[in-house]
Amino acid sequence: VQLQASGGGLVQAGGSLNVSCVASGRTFFNYAVGWFRQTPGKEREFVAAIRWNDGNTNYPDSFKGRFAISRDSAKNTVVLQMSTLKPEDTAVYYCAASRGGRVGLIPVTQADYNYWGQGTLVTVSS
């Protein structure tokens, strides 16, 4: 599975931005798709994930209410909608797909994800 992340850019604090992840080579069926982010010198941080088959989602408490993950079956795309952005949200955002996300708990750790996109940079200015 090849993943392509897109939609990053520059946005002012308080604004909104959507980043998208599209798969090529196959659909996301039977996968969980997650978003992580990373800033220089820090560990990659889990942001959100969605189980493709049923649309169930998982977010850390710190992102609930500001970030929303959704899927578009027709486009084989997962979208992360980010709102009320803060300068500390500045990071490279990566999408990833997990074969283990078909049933049970939705994966939240990097090790659970098998395929990764190249990342898209989101910069939030103050």
Coordinates of all heavy atoms in Angstrom, one line a residue, residues 42-116:
K42 N 11.5 15.6 18.6 CA 10.4 15.0 19.4 C 10.0 13.7 18.8 O 10.2 13.4 17.6 CB 9.3 15.9 19.6 CG 9.5 17.2 20.4 CD 8.3 17.9 20.7 CE 8.5 19.1 21.6 NZ 7.3 19.9 21.9
E43 N 9.4 12.9 19.6 CA 8.8 11.6 19.2 C 7.6 11.9 18.3 O 6.9 12.9 18.5 CB 8.4 10.7 20.4 CG 9.6 10.2 21.2 CD 10.4 9.2 20.5 OE1 9.7 8.3 19.8 OE2 11.6 9.1 20.6
R44 N 7.4 10.9 17.4 CA 6.1 11.0 16.6 C 4.9 10.8 17.5 O 4.9 9.9 18.3 CB 6.2 10.0 15.5 CG 5.3 10.3 14.3 CD 5.6 9.4 13.1 NE 6.9 9.9 12.5 CZ 7.3 9.4 11.3 NH1 6.6 8.4 10.7 NH2 8.4 9.8 10.8
E45 N 4.0 11.7 17.4 CA 2.8 11.7 18.3 C 1.5 11.3 17.6 O 1.2 11.8 16.5 CB 2.6 13.2 18.8 CG 1.5 13.4 19.7 CD 1.3 14.9 20.1 OE1 1.8 15.7 19.3 OE2 0.7 15.2 21.1
F46 N 0.8 10.4 18.2 CA -0.5 10.0 17.7 C -1.5 11.1 17.7 O -1.7 11.7 18.8 CB -1.0 8.8 18.5 CG -2.4 8.3 18.1 CD1 -2.6 7.8 16.8 CD2 -3.4 8.4 19.0 CE1 -3.9 7.4 16.5 CE2 -4.7 8.0 18.7 CZ -4.9 7.5 17.4
V47 N -2.2 11.3 16.6 CA -3.2 12.4 16.6 C -4.6 11.8 16.5 O -5.6 12.3 17.1 CB -2.9 13.3 15.3 CG1 -4.0 14.3 15.2 CG2 -1.5 13.9 15.5
A48 N -4.9 10.9 15.6 CA -6.2 10.4 15.4 C -6.1 9.1 14.5 O -5.2 8.9 13.8 CB -7.1 11.4 14.7
A49 N -7.1 8.3 14.6 CA -7.2 7.1 13.7 C -8.7 6.8 13.5 O -9.6 7.1 14.3 CB -6.5 6.0 14.3
I50 N -8.9 6.1 12.4 CA -10.2 5.6 12.0 C -10.2 4.2 11.5 O -9.2 3.9 10.7 CB -10.8 6.6 11.0 CG1 -12.3 6.3 10.7 CG2 -10.0 6.6 9.7 CD1 -13.0 7.3 9.9
R51 N -11.1 3.4 11.8 CA -11.2 2.1 11.3 C -12.1 2.2 10.0 O -13.2 2.6 10.1 CB -11.8 1.1 12.3 CG -11.9 -0.3 11.7 CD -12.0 -1.4 12.8 NE -13.0 -1.1 13.8 CZ -12.7 -1.2 15.1 NH1 -11.6 -1.6 15.5 NH2 -13.7 -0.9 16.0
W52 N -11.5 1.8 8.9 CA -12.2 2.0 7.6 C -13.5 1.3 7.6 O -14.5 1.9 7.1 CB -11.3 1.6 6.5 CG -11.8 1.9 5.2 CD1 -12.6 1.1 4.4 CD2 -11.7 3.2 4.5 NE1 -12.9 1.8 3.2 CE2 -12.4 3.0 3.3 CE3 -11.1 4.4 4.8 CZ2 -12.4 4.1 2.4 CZ3 -11.1 5.4 3.9 CH2 -11.8 5.3 2.7
N53 N -13.6 0.1 8.0 CA -14.7 -0.8 7.8 C -16.0 -0.2 8.5 O -17.1 -0.3 7.9 CB -14.5 -2.2 8.3 CG -13.5 -2.9 7.4 OD1 -12.8 -2.3 6.6 ND2 -13.3 -4.2 7.7
D54 N -15.8 0.4 9.7 CA -17.0 0.8 10.4 C -17.0 2.3 10.8 O -18.0 2.8 11.3 CB -17.3 0.0 11.7 CG -16.1 0.0 12.7 OD1 -15.3 0.9 12.5 OD2 -16.1 -0.8 13.6
G55 N -15.9 3.0 10.5 CA -15.8 4.4 10.7 C -15.6 4.8 12.2 O -15.6 6.0 12.5
N56 N -15.4 3.8 13.0 CA -15.0 4.1 14.4 C -13.7 4.9 14.5 O -12.8 4.6 13.7 CB -14.9 2.9 15.3 CG -16.3 2.3 15.6 OD1 -17.3 3.0 15.5 ND2 -16.3 1.1 16.1
T57 N -13.6 5.8 15.4 CA -12.5 6.7 15.5 C -11.8 6.6 16.9 O -12.5 6.1 17.9 CB -12.8 8.1 15.2 OG1 -13.8 8.6 16.1 CG2 -13.3 8.3 13.8
N58 N -10.6 7.1 17.0 CA -9.9 7.1 18.2 C -9.0 8.4 18.3 O -8.3 8.7 17.3 CB -9.0 5.9 18.4 CG -8.5 5.7 19.8 OD1 -8.6 6.6 20.6 ND2 -7.9 4.6 20.1
Y59 N -9.1 9.2 19.3 CA -8.3 10.4 19.5 C -7.8 10.4 20.9 O -8.5 10.1 21.8 CB -9.2 11.6 19.3 CG -10.0 11.8 18.1 CD1 -11.3 11.2 18.0 CD2 -9.5 12.5 17.0 CE1 -12.1 11.4 16.9 CE2 -10.3 12.7 15.9 CZ -11.6 12.1 15.8 OH -12.3 12.3 14.7
P60 N -6.6 11.0 21.0 CA -6.2 11.3 22.4 C -7.0 12.5 22.9 O -7.6 13.3 22.1 CB -4.7 11.8 22.2 CG -4.3 11.3 20.9 CD -5.5 11.2 20.0
D61 N -7.2 12.6 24.2 CA -8.1 13.6 24.8 C -7.6 15.0 24.3 O -8.5 15.9 24.2 CB -8.1 13.5 26.3 CG -8.8 12.3 26.8 OD1 -9.6 11.7 26.0 OD2 -8.6 11.9 27.9
S62 N -6.3 15.2 24.1 CA -5.8 16.5 23.8 C -6.3 17.0 22.4 O -6.2 18.2 22.2 CB -4.3 16.5 23.9 OG -3.8 15.5 23.0
F63 N -6.8 16.1 21.6 CA -7.2 16.5 20.3 C -8.7 16.5 20.1 O -9.2 17.0 19.1 CB -6.5 15.7 19.2 CG -5.0 15.8 19.1 CD1 -4.2 14.8 19.6 CD2 -4.5 17.0 18.6 CE1 -2.8 14.9 19.5 CE2 -3.1 17.1 18.6 CZ -2.3 16.1 19.0
K64 N -9.4 15.9 21.0 CA -10.9 15.8 20.9 C -11.4 17.2 20.9 O -11.1 18.1 21.7 CB -11.4 15.0 22.0 CG -11.1 13.5 21.9 CD -11.7 12.8 23.1 CE -11.4 11.3 23.0 NZ -11.9 10.5 24.2
G65 N -12.4 17.4 20.0 CA -13.0 18.7 19.9 C -12.4 19.7 18.9 O -13.0 20.6 18.4
R66 N -11.1 19.5 18.6 CA -10.4 20.3 17.6 C -10.1 19.6 16.3 O -10.1 20.2 15.2 CB -9.1 20.9 18.2 CG -9.2 21.9 19.3 CD -7.9 22.7 19.5 NE -6.7 21.8 19.6 CZ -5.6 21.9 18.9 NH1 -5.6 22.8 17.9 NH2 -4.6 21.2 19.1
F67 N -9.8 18.3 16.4 CA -9.4 17.6 15.2 C -10.5 16.5 15.0 O -11.1 15.9 16.0 CB -8.1 16.9 15.5 CG -6.9 17.8 15.4 CD1 -7.0 19.1 15.5 CD2 -5.6 17.2 15.3 CE1 -5.9 20.0 15.5 CE2 -4.5 18.1 15.3 CZ -4.6 19.4 15.4
A68 N -10.8 16.2 13.8 CA -11.8 15.2 13.4 C -11.2 14.4 12.2 O -10.8 15.0 11.2 CB -13.1 15.9 13.1
I69 N -11.4 13.1 12.3 CA -10.9 12.3 11.2 C -12.1 11.6 10.6 O -13.1 11.3 11.2 CB -9.9 11.2 11.7 CG1 -9.3 10.4 10.6 CG2 -10.6 10.3 12.7 CD1 -8.1 9.5 11.0
S70 N -12.1 11.5 9.2 CA -13.2 11.0 8.5 C -12.7 10.2 7.3 O -11.6 10.4 6.9 CB -14.2 12.1 8.1 OG -13.6 13.0 7.3
R71 N -13.6 9.5 6.7 CA -13.2 8.7 5.5 C -14.2 9.0 4.4 O -15.4 9.3 4.6 CB -13.2 7.2 5.8 CG -14.5 6.6 6.0 CD -14.4 5.2 6.6 NE -15.5 4.3 6.5 CZ -16.7 4.4 7.1 NH1 -16.8 5.4 8.0 NH2 -17.6 3.5 7.0
D72 N -13.7 9.0 3.2 CA -14.5 9.2 2.0 C -14.2 7.9 1.1 O -13.2 7.7 0.5 CB -14.0 10.4 1.2 CG -14.8 10.7 0.0 OD1 -15.4 9.8 -0.6 OD2 -14.9 11.9 -0.4
S73 N -15.2 7.0 1.2 CA -15.1 5.7 0.5 C -15.0 5.9 -1.0 O -14.2 5.2 -1.6 CB -16.3 4.9 0.8 OG -16.4 4.6 2.2
A74 N -15.7 6.8 -1.6 CA -15.6 7.0 -3.0 C -14.3 7.4 -3.5 O -13.8 7.1 -4.6 CB -16.7 8.1 -3.4
K75 N -13.5 8.2 -2.7 CA -12.2 8.6 -3.1 C -11.1 7.8 -2.4 O -9.9 8.2 -2.6 CB -12.1 10.1 -2.7 CG -13.0 11.0 -3.4 CD -12.8 12.5 -3.0 CE -13.8 13.4 -3.7 NZ -13.6 14.8 -3.3
N76 N -11.4 6.8 -1.6 CA -10.4 6.0 -0.9 C -9.5 7.0 -0.1 O -8.2 6.8 -0.2 CB -9.7 5.2 -1.9 CG -9.0 4.0 -1.2 OD1 -9.5 3.4 -0.2 ND2 -7.8 3.7 -1.6
T77 N -10.0 7.9 0.6 CA -9.3 9.0 1.2 C -9.7 9.1 2.7 O -10.9 9.0 3.0 CB -9.5 10.3 0.5 OG1 -9.0 10.2 -0.9 CG2 -8.8 11.4 1.2
V78 N -8.7 9.4 3.5 CA -9.0 9.7 4.9 C -8.6 11.2 5.1 O -7.5 11.6 4.7 CB -8.2 8.8 5.9 CG1 -8.3 9.3 7.3 CG2 -8.7 7.4 5.8
V79 N -9.5 11.9 5.7 CA -9.2 13.4 5.9 C -9.1 13.7 7.4 O -9.9 13.2 8.2 CB -10.4 14.2 5.3 CG1 -10.2 15.7 5.6 CG2 -10.4 13.9 3.8
L80 N -8.1 14.5 7.7 CA -8.0 15.0 9.1 C -8.4 16.5 9.1 O -7.7 17.3 8.4 CB -6.6 14.8 9.6 CG -6.4 15.3 11.1 CD1 -7.1 14.5 12.1 CD2 -4.9 15.3 11.4
Q81 N -9.5 16.8 9.7 CA -9.9 18.2 9.8 C -9.4 18.8 11.1 O -9.7 18.3 12.1 CB -11.4 18.3 9.7 CG -12.0 17.7 8.5 CD -13.6 17.7 8.5 OE1 -14.1 16.8 9.2 NE2 -14.2 18.5 7.9
M82 N -8.6 19.9 10.9 CA -8.0 20.5 12.1 C -8.6 21.9 12.2 O -8.6 22.7 11.3 CB -6.5 20.6 11.9 CG -5.9 19.2 11.7 SD -4.1 19.2 11.6 CE -3.9 19.9 9.9
S83 N -9.0 22.2 13.4 CA -9.6 23.6 13.6 C -9.0 24.2 14.9 O -8.3 23.5 15.7 CB -11.1 23.5 13.7 OG -11.5 22.6 14.8
T84 N -9.3 25.5 15.0 CA -8.7 26.2 16.2 C -7.2 25.9 16.3 O -6.7 25.6 17.4 CB -9.5 25.9 17.5 OG1 -10.9 25.8 17.2 CG2 -9.3 27.0 18.5
L85 N -6.5 26.0 15.2 CA -5.1 25.6 15.3 C -4.3 26.6 16.1 O -4.6 27.8 16.2 CB -4.6 25.5 13.8 CG -5.0 24.3 13.0 CD1 -4.9 24.5 11.6 CD2 -4.3 23.1 13.5
K86 N -3.2 26.0 16.7 CA -2.3 26.7 17.5 C -0.9 26.6 17.0 O -0.6 25.6 16.3 CB -2.3 26.1 19.0 CG -3.7 26.0 19.6 CD -3.7 25.2 20.9 CE -5.1 25.0 21.4 NZ -5.0 24.2 22.7
P87 N -0.1 27.6 17.3 CA 1.3 27.4 16.8 C 2.0 26.1 17.2 O 2.8 25.6 16.4 CB 2.0 28.6 17.5 CG 0.9 29.7 17.6 CD -0.3 28.8 18.0
E88 N 1.6 25.6 18.3 CA 2.2 24.3 18.8 C 1.7 23.1 18.0 O 2.2 22.0 18.1 CB 2.0 24.1 20.3 CG 0.5 24.2 20.7 CD 0.3 25.6 21.3 OE1 0.8 26.6 20.7 OE2 -0.5 25.7 22.3
D89 N 0.7 23.3 17.1 CA 0.3 22.3 16.2 C 1.2 22.2 14.9 O 1.0 21.3 14.1 CB -1.1 22.5 15.7 CG -2.2 22.4 16.8 OD1 -2.0 21.4 17.6 OD2 -3.1 23.2 16.9
T90 N 2.1 23.1 14.8 CA 3.1 23.1 13.7 C 3.9 21.8 13.8 O 4.5 21.5 14.8 CB 4.0 24.3 13.8 OG1 3.2 25.5 13.6 CG2 5.1 24.2 12.7
A91 N 3.9 21.0 12.7 CA 4.5 19.7 12.6 C 4.4 19.2 11.2 O 3.7 19.7 10.4 CB 3.9 18.8 13.6
V92 N 5.2 18.1 11.0 CA 4.9 17.3 9.8 C 3.9 16.2 10.2 O 4.1 15.5 11.2 CB 6.2 16.6 9.3 CG1 5.9 15.7 8.1 CG2 7.3 17.7 8.9
Y93 N 2.9 16.2 9.4 CA 1.8 15.2 9.7 C 1.9 14.1 8.7 O 2.0 14.2 7.5 CB 0.4 15.9 9.5 CG 0.1 16.8 10.7 CD1 0.8 18.1 10.8 CD2 -0.9 16.5 11.6 CE1 0.5 18.9 11.9 CE2 -1.1 17.3 12.7 CZ -0.4 18.5 12.9 OH -0.7 19.3 13.9
Y94 N 1.9 12.9 9.4 CA 2.0 11.6 8.6 C 0.8 10.8 8.7 O 0.2 10.7 9.8 CB 3.2 10.8 9.2 CG 4.6 11.4 9.1 CD1 5.1 12.2 10.1 CD2 5.4 11.2 8.0 CE1 6.3 12.8 10.0 CE2 6.6 11.7 7.9 CZ 7.1 12.5 8.9 OH 8.3 13.1 8.8
C95 N 0.4 10.2 7.6 CA -0.7 9.2 7.7 C -0.1 7.8 7.6 O 1.0 7.7 7.0 CB -1.7 9.5 6.6 SG -1.2 9.2 4.9
A96 N -0.8 6.9 8.1 CA -0.3 5.5 8.2 C -1.5 4.6 8.2 O -2.6 4.9 8.6 CB 0.5 5.3 9.4
A97 N -1.2 3.4 7.7 CA -2.2 2.3 7.6 C -1.8 1.1 8.4 O -0.7 0.7 8.4 CB -2.5 2.0 6.2
S98 N -2.8 0.6 9.1 CA -2.5 -0.6 10.0 C -3.4 -1.8 9.6 O -4.6 -1.7 9.5 CB -2.8 -0.3 11.4 OG -2.7 -1.4 12.3
R99 N -2.7 -2.9 9.3 CA -3.5 -4.1 9.0 C -4.2 -4.6 10.3 O -5.2 -5.4 10.2 CB -2.6 -5.2 8.5 CG -1.9 -4.9 7.1 CD -1.3 -6.2 6.5 NE -0.2 -6.6 7.4 CZ 1.1 -6.3 7.2 NH1 1.4 -5.6 6.2 NH2 2.0 -6.8 8.0
G100 N -3.7 -4.2 11.4 CA -4.3 -4.7 12.7 C -5.5 -4.0 13.1 O -6.0 -4.3 14.2
G101 N -5.9 -3.0 12.3 CA -7.0 -2.2 12.7 C -8.4 -2.7 12.3 O -9.4 -2.0 12.5
R102 N -8.4 -3.9 11.8 CA -9.7 -4.4 11.2 C -10.7 -4.7 12.3 O -11.9 -4.4 12.2 CB -9.4 -5.7 10.4 CG -10.6 -6.3 9.8 CD -10.2 -7.4 8.8 NE -9.5 -8.5 9.5 CZ -10.1 -9.5 10.0 NH1 -11.5 -9.6 10.0 NH2 -9.5 -10.5 10.6
V103 N -10.3 -5.2 13.5 CA -11.2 -5.5 14.6 C -10.5 -5.1 15.9 O -9.3 -4.8 15.9 CB -11.5 -7.0 14.6 CG1 -12.3 -7.4 13.4 CG2 -10.2 -7.8 14.8
G104 N -11.3 -5.0 16.9 CA -10.7 -4.7 18.2 C -10.4 -3.3 18.4 O -11.0 -2.4 17.8
L105 N -9.4 -3.0 19.2 CA -8.9 -1.7 19.5 C -8.3 -1.1 18.3 O -7.6 -1.7 17.5 CB -7.9 -1.7 20.7 CG -8.5 -2.1 22.0 CD1 -7.4 -2.2 23.0 CD2 -9.6 -1.3 22.5
I106 N -8.5 0.2 18.1 CA -7.9 0.9 17.0 C -6.5 1.3 17.4 O -6.3 1.9 18.4 CB -8.7 2.2 16.6 CG1 -10.1 1.8 16.2 CG2 -8.0 3.0 15.6 CD1 -11.1 3.0 16.0
P107 N -5.5 0.9 16.5 CA -4.1 1.1 16.9 C -3.8 2.6 17.2 O -4.2 3.5 16.4 CB -3.4 0.6 15.7 CG -4.3 -0.4 15.0 CD -5.7 0.2 15.3
V108 N -2.9 2.8 18.2 CA -2.5 4.2 18.5 C -1.0 4.3 18.5 O -0.5 5.5 18.8 CB -3.1 4.6 19.8 CG1 -4.7 4.5 19.8 CG2 -2.6 3.7 21.0
T109 N -0.2 3.3 18.4 CA 1.2 3.4 18.4 C 1.8 3.2 17.1 O 1.3 2.5 16.2 CB 1.8 2.4 19.4 OG1 1.5 1.1 18.9 CG2 1.2 2.6 20.8
Q110 N 3.0 3.8 16.8 CA 3.6 3.7 15.6 C 3.9 2.3 15.2 O 3.8 1.9 14.0 CB 5.0 4.5 15.6 CG 4.9 6.0 15.8 CD 6.3 6.6 15.7 OE1 7.0 6.5 14.7 NE2 6.7 7.2 16.8
A111 N 4.3 1.5 16.1 CA 4.7 0.1 15.8 C 3.5 -0.7 15.2 O 3.7 -1.7 14.6 CB 5.2 -0.6 17.1
D112 N 2.3 -0.3 15.5 CA 1.1 -1.0 15.0 C 0.8 -0.7 13.5 O -0.1 -1.3 13.0 CB -0.1 -0.6 15.8 CG 0.0 -1.1 17.3 OD1 0.5 -2.2 17.4 OD2 -0.5 -0.4 18.2
Y113 N 1.5 0.3 13.0 CA 1.2 0.7 11.6 C 2.2 0.2 10.6 O 3.4 0.3 10.9 CB 1.1 2.3 11.6 CG -0.2 2.7 12.1 CD1 -0.4 2.9 13.5 CD2 -1.3 3.0 11.3 CE1 -1.6 3.2 14.1 CE2 -2.5 3.4 11.9 CZ -2.7 3.5 13.2 OH -3.9 3.9 13.8
N114 N 1.7 -0.3 9.5 CA 2.6 -1.1 8.6 C 3.0 -0.2 7.4 O 4.1 -0.5 6.8 CB 1.8 -2.3 8.1 CG 1.2 -3.1 9.2 OD1 0.0 -3.0 9.4 ND2 2.0 -3.9 9.8
Y115 N 2.2 0.8 7.1 CA 2.5 1.6 5.9 C 2.5 3.1 6.3 O 1.6 3.5 7.0 CB 1.6 1.3 4.7 CG 1.5 -0.2 4.4 CD1 0.5 -1.0 4.9 CD2 2.5 -0.8 3.6 CE1 0.4 -2.3 4.6 CE2 2.4 -2.1 3.3 CZ 1.4 -2.9 3.8 OH 1.4 -4.2 3.5
W116 N 3.4 3.8 5.7 CA 3.5 5.3 6.0 C 3.5 6.1 4.8 O 4.2 5.7 3.8 CB 4.7 5.5 6.9 CG 4.6 4.9 8.3 CD1 4.8 3.7 8.6 CD2 4.1 5.6 9.4 NE1 4.6 3.5 10.0 CE2 4.2 4.7 10.5 CE3 3.7 6.9 9.7 CZ2 3.8 5.0 11.8 CZ3 3.4 7.3 11.0 CH2 3.4 6.3 12.0

